[in-house]
Amino acid sequence: MTAVVPTLSEPAIRPFAIPNYRRQWVADLSTSCAFEIETLALAWYVLVETGSVVLMAAIASLQFLGTLVSPLLGALCDRHGQRNTMLAMRLYYVTVAAVLLLFAHTDNLTPWLALGFATLSGVIRPSDMGMRNVVTSGIVPRSVMLPAIGLSRMTIDLARMGGALTGAALMATLGLAWAYAIVVALYATAAFFTASLRMDRPVWHADGATVFGQFQAALRSVRGAPAQTATMIMAFMVNFSAYPFVTGLLPYVAKERFGMDEYGLGMLIAVTATGSITSSILLSRIRLPSPARTMLCFSVVWHALIVAFALTKSLPLAFGIIYLAGVAQNLCMIPMAAFLLGNVAPSLRGSVIGLRSMAVYGLPLGLMVSGYVLNHGVAFWLLALVFAGIGISVTVIVWLKYRQHWRPASMA
């Protein structure tokens, strides 16, 4: 399960030579910044107002509630166009955030209303990253798909740095209403640049005559490829066992373990994102002979670093470990996305990625389980140890069961 040493590839900036990719990158960055400010603002607001770790975790969890509609959005993407689907999603974000801003501005917002708005956002939000990758696959040639996806994913990590620090500063100085004013402006910017994309009209396919037919074709594609099935399993597992510790549980770590305020939370998020940016840049400049081995190897590393993060009592050491966890995170997730998109027929990419998005359900499940356990007094380090043990065990089982299907030639 050791990763093969990568070799240098084309310049990292090659995808930016494509005008559509530049527009999409700006739209993705704006959306990611809005996501980060929104999540941090609502989670901190609920934690301060209620003091409940469970409700704080619920804010992050509810934003993934709509994962069940991801296959539907994927099928619509294949049938009605990638740009049109993405634009509709981002106009929806603008609308939900604008209504919440109205409630916050008039002092009518309550923690329960905040949970309701998180639920509304969660109807569409889980599909966003997958749809970004589908749009990328329709914009760039396959030869630069891995660096293009890596650079696209970097928008999430840049947003986790800037968005988290901005959100913390806005919450600490100006309050929730001003934070949401920025969120609305960012969503509107994303919608504008998405609308400016120039892409080919979708091609009609007989087996996609209905949305259900498109969904069935995607299921057949995944079931007929064991390596894709294994990748779906891995996607669910890392969302359940690893992601909660670098996303929704960080407010708990900041407040309860290190006694930090909003700025401290923003710093934790920013350091994690810096690690992810490091690996995104690395993957944009190298070619991986075996992305599957890289993905599986860094799944193990990622889980091990989470345990180390939970065990340390030194804040400087915690920052260093969470940085390395960010590096491992993207070295696991980006090869996973590139494999799925690079080995699926273009007419089914949206539908297959829609199925992949359902794996995100592992994250709210992991968040709710961990929030419940922590609320009942279980030590954070013990929780991390159990979750990491589950994640590493599944990774090893997937490798042993499907190793004959991980052919480097098919993963390039």
Side-chain angles (χ1 to χ4, degrees):
M1 288 178 58
T2 56
V4 177
V5 178
T7 56
L8 289 178
S9 181
E10 55 276 327
I13 63 171
R14 184 174 171 186
F16 286 111
I18 303 170
N20 265 344
Y21 185 80
R22 294 197 298 270
R23 298 186 190 103
Q24 183 206 355
W25 198 87
V26 174
D28 291 349
L29 180 61
S30 298
T31 303
S32 296
C33 286
F35 282 169
E36 290 300 323
I37 296 174
E38 188 172 32
T39 299
L40 185 147
L42 285 182
W44 194 265
Y45 168 77
V46 168
L47 183 61
V48 169
E49 291 293 318
T50 68
S52 171
V53 181
V54 171
L55 289 180
M56 179 210 71
I59 284 290
S61 300
L62 288 171
Q63 293 179 2
F64 296 93
L65 185 66
T67 305
L68 277 178
V69 307
S70 295
L72 172 63
L73 287 172
L76 291 173
C77 178
D78 289 332
R79 286 166 55 80
H80 300 293
Q82 300 162 353
R83 188 209 71 137
N84 295 339
T85 304
M86 183 67 84
L87 178 60
M89 291 168 62
R90 286 172 175 175
L91 289 174
Y92 176 85
Y93 301 149
V94 174
T95 303
V96 172
V99 176
L100 192 150
L101 171 61
L102 179 63
F103 274 88
H105 183 70
T106 57
D107 294 324
N108 289 315
L109 188 66
T110 66
W112 293 108
L113 276 174
L115 289 167
F117 281 108
T119 303
L120 287 175
S121 177
V123 173
I124 301 295
R125 181 167 167 177
S127 304
D128 198 88
M129 188 64 223
M131 292 302 106
R132 295 182 196 189
N133 290 338
V134 174
V135 172
T136 297
S137 70
I139 288 174
V140 304
R142 183 172 177 179
S143 61
V144 295
M145 191 177 297
L146 181 62
I149 290 175
L151 292 170
S152 178
R153 192 175 184 88
M154 191 167 68
T155 63
I156 298 176
D157 304 316
L158 286 170
R160 293 196 77 193
M161 292 177 61
L165 294 174
T166 300
L170 288 170
M171 284 293 292
T173 57
L174 299 176
L176 186 67
W178 277 103
Y180 257 85
I182 300 298
V183 168
V184 171
L186 287 168
Y187 281 142
T189 301
F192 171 80
F193 279 99
T194 301
S196 70
L197 294 176
R198 298 293 177 260
M199 303 183 68
D200 295 334
R201 297 176 65 85
V203 179
W204 183 263
H205 292 273
D207 62 354
T210 66
V211 171
F212 184 67
Q214 194 82 10
F215 178 70
Q216 285 184 310
L219 280 175
R220 288 194 298 270
S221 173
V222 172
R223 276 192 294 221
Q228 288 186 23
T229 302
T231 305
M232 295 287 189
I233 295 171
M234 283 300 304
F236 177 85
M237 182 46 55
V238 296
N239 273 283
F240 171 79
S241 59
Y243 261 114
F245 294 89
V246 294
T247 54
L249 293 180
L250 283 184
Y252 171 84
V253 174
K255 188 172 187 293
E256 303 298 333
R257 284 180 55 79
F258 293 111
M260 297 189 291
D261 58 10
E262 301 97 322
Y263 291 106
L265 172 59
M267 285 299 298
L268 273 176
I269 296 172
V271 170
T272 310
T274 303
S276 298
I277 290 171
T278 302
S279 51
S280 293
I281 294 173
L282 176 65
L283 287 173
S284 73
R285 299 196 60 86
I286 62 177
R287 185 181 299 278
L288 296 175
S290 181
R293 292 184 179 181
T294 303
M295 172 185 70
L296 294 166
C297 177
F298 280 98
S299 171
V300 174
V301 173
W302 187 8
H303 285 97
L305 287 168
I306 286 170
V307 174
F309 176 66
L311 287 171
T312 184
K313 296 181 180 179
S314 166
L315 184 57
L317 183 57
F319 277 124
I321 294 172
I322 203 70
Y323 167 81
L324 293 175
V327 173
Q329 172 186 317
N330 270 8
L331 288 175
C332 174
M333 300 305 294
I334 293 175
M336 182 185 298
F339 164 70
L340 284 176
L341 288 168
N343 292 274
V344 173
S347 61
L348 289 175
R349 281 175 179 166
S351 302
V352 170
I353 291 299
L355 289 175
R356 156 65 180 86
S357 296
M358 294 185 70
V360 176
Y361 263 132
L363 177 54
L365 178 61
L367 282 170
M368 293 308 296
V369 170
S370 56
Y372 177 83
V373 170
L374 289 171
N375 223 37
H376 283 73
V378 174
F380 184 71
W381 68 266
L382 181 58
L383 175 73
L385 186 62
V386 172
F387 271 53
I390 294 171
I392 292 173
S393 297
V394 171
T395 300
V396 173
I397 291 170
V398 165
W399 169 252
L400 294 175
K401 181 176 176 60
Y402 294 96
R403 63 184 182 276
Q404 68 271 26
H405 301 288
W406 300 118
R407 295 190 305 272
S410 67
M411 300 281 289

